[in-house]
Structures are given as C-alpha cells and as structure tokens.
C-alpha cells in the first residue's frame, strides 16, 4: 500500500489488486464522518481520497487507512441485473484472434460468467465490471474511435462495460444493448452502481424481452413569470453553483463555478446565500431585458456594464456593486477586458430546479439545467428572508489578460515518479501556452519541449481532481478544470493547488502559465500494518 500526494485536500492510495481496492472502498464508506473524508474515487488499483483540510491532513488519513484490514474484505453484492446483448461488435473478431479462441467462445465466456461493478468513472453511468472466470483480458485499441454509439458493450483490460451515451473511446466493441444504463429522468439515473451484479445474455438466443420501465422525460418549459428575457447569451452562459460533490459513485465529477470566489461574492453583493445558483457568462457579450424591478450584481472577469432604460437613457454600472434595475431596462455586458468568466446574480435567486443536488451544468457529463438560449425567459425566486447587501466585495485574484504570464503553485504527484527528472525541470521552468482548444473541461497547453516519461507501461484508469496536470502520449499537458472526467488513463504529474483553482479558471486563451512546485514529490508514510 502506497500513499501518493494529489493536492492539499487529497491523496491517493495505491494497492496491489482490484480485490484490495474494492475491499478498502467498502471499509472507507464507513469512515467518512469519523475521518473527515468528503469523497472517494475508487479505480482499478487506486483510491483517491478527498478530505476536509481544515479538520485533518494527508498524513493523518494515511495512518488511519494503513491500519485497516483489507485481506479478507469482500465487496457487498448488489442487485442482479440482466443485460441482453446483440453480439455483433466491430472488434469481436479481433478480440477472438487476440485471445486465440473463436467468436462463439468469446460470447460464451461473456454470457456464462457473472460480472460485478467495481467502480464507475469516465462518464456518468460508465461502470467498470469484472468477472473472476470470464478470462477476457484484452488491451485497448491503439487508436481510439471518435464516436462509439450509446449501448455499446465493450472490453478493455480485465473490465467489461457499456457506453452510457455516444462518445469517443478506445475499448474493444463486442456488441450492443438497448438497455439504457444512464437516464437522468429515472429516479435512479445510473442502472449500474458499485456492487451491482450483471448477467449478460445473448439476445439472439433468448425469447425473453428484458427491458426497464420507460422513463418520462420532463420537458423544459418557460415559467409563468417572465422576469428576465435573455436577448444574447454571448459565447456561453451556464447555470452554476458550488457543484455536486459526492456523486463519484455515479461517475460524475464536481463541476460547479469555475471561479467560486466570484460566485460567492456576487451572491453576497445582493444578499443571497453564497451557493445560490447564478449565471456564469463566458467572455461577456450577454444581454437581457428586465421585466420587473430587481436588484442584480456582476462579478468575476472584468467587463463594461451598460444599462439602457425604457426611455432609452444609458448609464454605466460598476462590478462588485448592487445594481437596481426597473421594468423595461436592458442590461448588457461587454467583452471581457481581463479574465474569462463573469457571474450574474439577482436578489432572491432564480427559479431553477437542481439536478442531482446541484444546478451546475457539467459540459462533459451534460448533467444539470441546460445552457441558456436567446429569447429564453427566466423567473425569479422571491424569498422573504435575505441577508443585507454587501458593499465591500472585491476580486480575490488579479484577473489575467491574454498577454500575461500566470504563475500557478502546484503539488507534484501522484505520478511524478513516472517522469524523468528533466521532464520535472521542464514542467516548472518553461512557459506553457494556453491553446484555443481549452474549455471548462481543461486547459490544453503547448510548450516548446514536450515532457518525456521514464515509465512507459499503460496506466490503469485512476481518479483525478480539479487542477490535475495530466500528460498524454504527446507530452503536452492538459490542466483539468471543473468539468474534467472523474477518472483518467494518462499519468498525472502534479496538480494546481486549491487556492489557485479560481485563478486557473480565469486564464484566457493565448496567455502563458508557469508552474511553481511548492515542494518535492514525496510519498506519505502510513503507520506499519500487517494487513497491506
């Protein structure tokens, strides 16, 4: 058992087998409150543990975990689910050839042995399933496909899974099923959860029809109140709050506002609780018509705020201050002068329903209230008890422009030891250009010299955090942001410190980043244990 650094509020436990990982996962679920753990992300050979850094630290967590007996742990068996499969996958013949067996043998092994969900990741509802007797261990494809249809049944390494929705992927496709493994309109969106048992059956040989109840999709409709009419959304306007912590078992990451300090400030300015959902506006260009009197505010990335009254009188307002608007006013945000994302809030909040505990829209998982559209109407939530407005809010970071060099503190790990010392030096000495391919999922960076690895073996998927610096095969870093995948298959060389994540979320395209390590890569040492 190894304990590897991830961030100031997270560490990774590396284990010897999937069985140990499943056993430790089960034990940790009983320790959340006692050890101040906020979330765990189990994977093939690792568990990422996020904790409350105010109440505990990585060394204490490591000492606690090292005392647990995982030698006899067995993951509890969950619900048994039957999945009919049409075994006509594009890679079925290749899988048979790789294993030295016939196509019929592949289908027989897949259907005659029960699978169990070990963990979820990659995408919402994407379940990593294992079977003790199937013996269908095959590598991923050398070249991933750009588009894999929803319902595709696939193999990779020791795992089998079902793609919940159409997406890119590198697994070997052996069939397809009509069963929806992810449906937000069901009471339980994820059909397959850790512990679930799965029987695959050959649909061509079964006379039975296995299906789930058809869910009723709730159509999004305009509210009866038309308090605000969206005239222009700009590049992108999303609903955001603090995000949905605690949904890792469903394969969903935190998401949430990219600049949480600006979100909290905009709510303080208008007297709302700090986690009240607000609009996150990317690069300005937002315009809205006000149909009833209200108090609003704008924080975050700096932009001009212009108000045009019903009498066509124009005036300018300032950011981080309350703005009283009247019926007929039009408020417009100009292009960002520095930073990327601005936040717009109204006193009392908006009438918006949460999805899986949060109103944040996750652009990767496509979970949450839909992005705003032109001509959409918004309704206000009129609360009687609110806080006093704040006149003392200021930006907590200096928002950068595209000409700036932004310095970000980082923690090295958990896979810094997979890279050469020269690569570590390059990571922290050369400047990294933020490319136009960047978004809420991550900043794609380009450096003069790529980073080289000293360990070339394939890394089993493992949990990642916001701020993780993942190094794909081309050696050019990807800095994961709020909508990042929950697990990743490329080594993470380090992570941006929590206190610089808001700044990272405001770095514009063409700016440059310099990484500053706050310490050397060092494993955490837990207390000695005979159980590991």
């Amino acid at each position: 058992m190894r304990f590897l650094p991830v961030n100031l509020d997270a560490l990774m436990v590396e284990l010897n087998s999937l069985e140990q990982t499943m056993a430790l996962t089960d034990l940790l679920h009983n320790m959340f409150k006692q050890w101040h753990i906020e979330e765990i992300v189990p994977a093939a050979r690792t568990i990422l543990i996020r904790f409350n850094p105010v109440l505990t630290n990585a060394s204490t967590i490591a000492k606690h975990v090292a005392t647990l007996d995982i030698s006899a742990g067995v993951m509890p068996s969950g619900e048994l689910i039957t999945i009919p499969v049409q075994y006509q996958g594009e890679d079925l013949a290749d899988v048979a050839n790789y294993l030295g067996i016939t196509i019929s043998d592949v289908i027989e092994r897949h259907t005659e042995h029960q699978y169990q969900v070990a963990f979820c990741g990659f995408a919402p509802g994407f379940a990593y399933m294992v079977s003790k007797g199937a013996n269908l261990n095959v590598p991923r494809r050398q070249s991933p496909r750009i588009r894999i249809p929803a319902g595709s049944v696939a193999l990779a390494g020791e795992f089998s899974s079902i793609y919940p929705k159409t997406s890119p992927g590198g697994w070997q496709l052996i069939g397809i099923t009509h069963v929806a493994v992810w449906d937000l309109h069901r009471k339980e969106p994820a059909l397959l959860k850790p512990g679930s048992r799965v029987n695959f059956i050959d649909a061509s040989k079964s006379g039975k029809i296995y299906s789930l109840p058809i869910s009723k999709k709730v159509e999004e409709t305009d509210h009866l109140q038309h308090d605000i009419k969206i005239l222009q959304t700009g590049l992108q306007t999303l609903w955001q709050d603090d995000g949905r912590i605690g949904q890792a078992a469903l394969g969903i990451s935190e998401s949430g506002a990219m600049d949480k300090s600006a979100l909290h400030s905009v709510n303080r300015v208008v007297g709302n609780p700090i986690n009240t959902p607000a609009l996150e506006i990317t690069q300005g260009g937002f315009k809205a018509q006000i149909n009833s009197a209200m108090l609003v505010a704008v924080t975050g990335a700096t932009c001009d705020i212009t108000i045009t009254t019903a009498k066509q009188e124009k005036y300018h307002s300032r950011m981080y201050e309350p703005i009283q608007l009247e019926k007929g006013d039009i408020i417009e945000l100009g292009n960002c002068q520095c930073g990327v994302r601005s936040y717009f809030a109204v006193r009392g909040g908006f009438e918006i329903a949460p999805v899986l505990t949060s109103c944040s829209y996750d652009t990767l998982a496509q979970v949450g209230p839909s992005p705003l559209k032109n001509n959409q109407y918004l309704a206000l939530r009129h609360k009687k008890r609110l806080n006093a407005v704040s006149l003392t809010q200021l930006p907590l970071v200096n928002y950068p422009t595209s000409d700036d060099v932004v310095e970000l503190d980082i923690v090295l790990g958990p896979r810094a030891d997979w890279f050469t010392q020269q690569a570590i030096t390059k990571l922290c000495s050369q400047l990294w250009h933020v490319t136009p391919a960047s978004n809420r999922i991550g900043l794609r960076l380009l450096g003069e010299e790529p980073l080289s690895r000293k360990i070339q073996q394939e890394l089993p998927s493992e949990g990642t955090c916001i701020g993780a610096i993942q190094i794909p095969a081309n050696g050019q870093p990807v800095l994961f942001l709020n909508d990042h995948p929950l697990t990743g298959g490329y080594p993470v060389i380090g992570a941006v410190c929590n206190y610089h994540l808001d700044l990272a979320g405001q770095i514009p395209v063409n700016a440059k980043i310099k990484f500053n390590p706050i310490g050397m890569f060092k494993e955490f040492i837990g207390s000695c244990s005979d159980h590991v």
Side-chain angles (χ1 to χ4, degrees):
M1 185 182 290
R2 296 174 70 205
F3 298 94
L4 306 171
V6 172
N7 211 321
L8 300 179
D9 66 344
L11 79 159
M12 183 173 287
V13 186
E14 185 180 65
L15 299 128
N16 296 325
S17 66
L18 178 61
E19 289 74 19
Q20 286 188 349
T21 304
M22 294 169 72
L24 181 55
T25 298
D26 185 42
L27 292 171
L28 286 175
H29 278 302
N30 299 320
M31 302 297 179
F32 269 47
K33 191 172 183 179
Q34 182 179 349
W35 292 352
H36 311 295
I37 294 173
E38 295 188 340
E39 188 171 50
I40 62 172
V41 183
R45 302 287 186 274
T46 61
I47 300 175
L48 188 151
I49 301 176
R50 291 180 56 188
F51 53 85
N52 186 329
V54 176
L55 301 175
T56 188
N57 56 57
S59 296
T60 300
I61 294 288
K63 290 176 182 178
H64 286 324
V65 172
T67 64
L68 297 176
D69 184 357
I70 59 174
S71 60
V74 178
M75 189 171 187
S77 293
E79 179 186 5
L80 177 61
I81 299 167
T82 300
I83 304 289
V85 181
Q86 295 286 347
Y87 286 96
Q88 300 170 349
E90 296 178 52
D91 302 316
L92 188 56
D94 291 339
V95 168
N97 288 336
Y98 179 85
L99 295 172
I101 57 179
T102 66
I103 289 176
S104 296
D105 291 335
V106 173
I107 298 172
E108 184 177 319
R109 290 186 186 184
H110 199 247
T111 55
E112 289 193 354
H113 295 88
Q114 190 176 102
Y115 280 79
Q116 186 174 26
V117 178
F119 59 94
C120 296
F122 175 66
F126 191 95
Y128 290 76
M129 294 175 272
V130 290
S131 174
K132 292 183 178 179
N135 294 322
L136 292 174
N137 196 323
V138 294
R140 289 179 172 86
R141 288 172 52 87
Q142 290 186 350
S143 178
R145 290 184 172 90
I146 297 175
R147 185 181 185 278
I148 292 178
S152 294
V153 180
L155 303 172
E158 61 191 307
F159 300 105
S160 182
S161 193
I162 303 168
Y163 280 81
K165 61 181 181 180
T166 301
S167 66
W171 288 39
Q172 306 280 1
L173 307 183
I174 61 172
I176 196 163
T177 180
H178 71 279
V179 175
V181 295
W182 176 258
D183 185 350
L184 269 174
H185 307 291
R186 287 196 301 250
K187 184 177 180 180
E188 294 286 342
L191 177 64
L192 306 175
K193 296 177 281 293
S196 297
R197 295 169 296 137
V198 176
N199 280 340
F200 293 101
I201 64 168
D202 188 344
S204 66
K205 294 182 180 180
S206 174
K208 296 182 180 180
I209 298 177
Y210 295 85
S211 61
L212 293 171
I214 298 174
S215 61
K216 289 185 178 181
K217 183 176 181 178
V218 179
E219 297 293 338
E220 292 186 15
T221 58
D222 287 336
H223 294 278
L224 294 177
Q225 295 172 235
H226 289 177
D227 295 309
I228 299 178
K229 181 180 180 180
I230 304 300
L231 301 179
Q232 294 176 10
T233 62
L235 182 65
Q236 184 182 63
T237 298
L238 304 175
W239 295 104
Q240 294 297 338
D241 53 26
D242 277 345
R244 47 181 63 83
I245 298 174
Q247 302 295 329
L250 299 181
I252 299 176
S253 61
E254 179 180 327
S255 190
M258 293 279 277
D259 183 350
K260 287 186 171 59
S261 63
L263 170 73
H264 297 166
S265 287
V266 79
N267 278 312
R268 289 192 187 100
V269 172
V270 295
N272 293 337
I274 61 172
N275 190 34
T276 301
L279 302 183
E280 181 182 84
I281 301 162
T282 301
Q283 295 185 3
F286 175 84
K287 189 176 183 180
Q289 177 181 300
I290 306 304
N291 295 328
S292 62
M294 64 186 69
L295 189 73
V296 307
V298 180
T299 62
T302 306
C303 57
D304 290 330
I305 305 172
T306 304
I307 314 297
T308 304
T309 69
K311 295 181 179 180
Q312 298 303 303
E313 298 171 338
K314 288 192 176 184
Y315 64 93
H316 295 279
S317 294
R318 291 187 291 189
M319 302 191 66
Y320 286 85
E321 292 186 1
I323 305 168
Q324 179 64 41
L325 299 177
E326 302 297 334
K327 183 177 181 180
D329 288 352
I330 292 176
I331 183 169
E332 186 172 1
L333 274 58
N335 294 331
C336 291
Q337 299 156 13
C338 53
V340 179
R341 296 171 175 89
S342 304
Y343 294 85
F344 178 92
V346 299
R347 183 168 174 81
F350 295 97
E351 194 65 54
I352 185 73
V355 177
L356 294 177
T357 73
S358 170
C359 290
S360 289
Y361 181 74
D362 186 326
T363 59
L364 176 64
Q366 297 179 22
V367 172
S370 299
L372 270 62
K373 300 176 290 188
N374 291 346
N375 299 316
Q376 179 177 348
Y377 288 96
L378 307 181
L380 303 191
R381 181 174 292 171
H382 298 287
K383 292 185 176 180
K384 294 183 178 180
R385 293 185 179 180
L386 290 166
N387 302 323
V389 299
S390 173
L391 303 177
T392 60
Q393 296 300 303
L394 293 170
L396 295 185
V397 299
N398 293 320
Y399 293 120
T401 70
S402 57
D403 297 323
D404 288 337
V405 174
V406 182
E407 187 166 314
L408 299 176
D409 291 348
I410 64 171
V411 173
L412 291 173
R415 299 298 174 188
D417 55 348
W418 280 46
F419 295 86
T420 63
Q421 185 55 50
Q422 184 182 23
I424 300 291
T425 301
K426 285 180 185 176
L427 173 73
C428 304
S429 60
Q430 70 179 3
L431 299 181
W432 298 95
H433 175 81
V434 179
T435 71
S438 303
N439 50 33
R440 279 184 54 94
I441 298 169
L443 300 181
R444 292 188 177 271
L445 308 180
L446 182 64
E448 185 175 340
E449 296 183 58
L451 305 183
S452 55
R453 288 165 54 173
K454 67 180 179 182
I455 298 179
Q456 299 298 330
Q457 70 190 57
E458 185 172 336
L459 177 71
S461 293
E462 57 188 28
T464 59
C465 67
I466 299 175
I469 306 168
Q470 191 182 69
I471 311 298
N474 64 6
Q476 301 290 354
V478 178
L479 171 51
F480 280 164
L481 296 176
N482 295 43
D483 294 354
H484 69 91
L486 193 67
T487 58
Y490 293 114
V492 170
I493 196 170
V496 174
C497 294
N498 306 75
Y499 53 79
H500 274 170
L501 290 178
D502 286 349
L503 176 58
Q506 293 283 13
I507 300 176
V509 170
N510 294 326
K512 293 180 175 60
I513 293 175
K514 185 178 187 303
F515 292 120
N516 173 46
I518 61 172
M520 302 297 292
F521 172 76
K522 183 176 68 173
E523 296 179 31
F524 293 103
I525 307 299
S527 58
C528 295
S529 173
D530 297 329
H531 307 311
V532 298

